Amino acid sequence: MLSQKLIELMNDQINKELYSSYLYVAISNYYKEQNLDGFSSWFLFQAKEELEHAEKFMKYLQEEEAKVILKTVEVKEFNFKDLKEPLTFQLAHEKYVTSLIETIYEEAVNTKNYKTQLFLNWFITEQAEEEDTAKELIRKYELLVENKTGNGLYQLDESLKSRK
Ligand code: FEO
């Protein structure tokens, strides 16, 4: 049985995951406007993953016979100043999402809800991977683009097209 606070936190998390998807669609569009199709498709892939995260929380709440409440997704206009900013934005955002997952986990521990702890383990692992992936992309950008080795931006854009 989920505590009321766990239900509220998980419903908030659904909203955050949907917002994450929205954010990554915005980043995908930004890169598309810069004619960087690889970056654009990479972030669109990420946006779809975020929808799956929201779906996992929805399914879990429903399995636990708790009500799913969809809240308004925050609408923002993103004005990225350069090609690197969305990458650092992503890392900061994923660190924030990790902190949210940890808060839910803490409530599951405090209420001795072992099943929910098991469910959340997947998200703990996923967040570690997402932070690592975001860091790696920044490192590659710095290596290939900022130190201007040949046509690094082109190479990186091409390599990002292969994400499946
Ligand atoms: Fe669903 Fe990128 O965290």
Side-chain angles (χ1 to χ4, degrees):
M1 178 102 176
L2 297 173
S3 69
Q4 192 54 36
K5 189 171 172 193
L6 263 179
I7 294 171
E8 284 168 19
L9 287 170
M10 287 186 161
N11 269 310
D12 284 346
Q13 192 60 32
I14 290 167
N15 182 270
K16 300 295 183 195
E17 300 292 348
L18 293 174
Y19 171 78
S20 301
S21 182
Y22 183 88
L23 167 66
Y24 294 140
V25 169
I27 293 177
S28 171
N29 289 344
Y30 165 76
Y31 283 125
K32 187 78 185 166
E33 287 161 11
Q34 314 299 318
N35 296 316
L36 289 167
D37 287 356
F39 282 80
S40 179
S41 80
W42 196 92
F43 275 97
L44 201 55
F45 188 100
Q46 188 63 37
K48 288 174 187 161
E49 280 203 358
E50 300 300 349
L51 286 182
E52 287 171 17
H53 297 172
E55 194 182 340
K56 276 185 194 289
F57 274 107
M58 284 190 274
K59 276 177 79 175
Y60 188 72
L61 281 173
Q62 286 162 345
E63 279 167 18
E64 294 297 297
E65 297 178 348
K67 188 160 176 54
V68 172
I69 298 167
L70 294 179
K71 302 172 188 182
T72 307
V73 176
E74 196 180 351
V75 176
K76 270 189 190 166
E77 192 175 341
F78 300 99
N79 292 306
F80 300 114
K81 69 178 190 306
D82 57 32
L83 296 176
K84 189 179 181 183
E85 195 178 23
L87 308 182
T88 51
F89 202 93
Q90 179 192 21
L91 178 58
H93 180 69
E94 288 304 335
K95 285 184 174 175
Y96 167 63
V97 174
T98 298
S99 75
L100 297 174
I101 298 288
E102 287 171 351
T103 299
I104 305 172
Y105 198 93
E106 276 164 25
E107 175 62 14
V109 170
N110 291 342
T111 54
K112 295 188 166 53
N113 190 323
Y114 303 111
K115 185 179 174 187
T116 300
Q117 289 171 45
L118 277 179
F119 166 73
L120 290 169
N121 281 344
W122 185 90
F123 282 92
I124 303 271
T125 307
E126 177 71 6
Q127 281 312 120
E129 282 175 11
E130 292 209 336
E131 285 189 32
D132 286 348
T133 306
K135 281 181 203 156
E136 192 189 336
L137 190 47
I138 292 170
R139 270 198 304 274
K140 281 183 181 167
Y141 184 89
E142 288 170 347
L143 193 69
L144 288 166
V145 181
E146 290 188 339
N147 74 2
K148 297 188 175 61
T149 50
N151 51 5
L153 183 58
Y154 175 78
Q155 286 170 11
L156 181 53
D157 190 54
E158 284 298 306
S159 75
L160 292 177
K161 285 180 185 168
S162 62
R163 186 178 186 188
K164 296 272 186 290

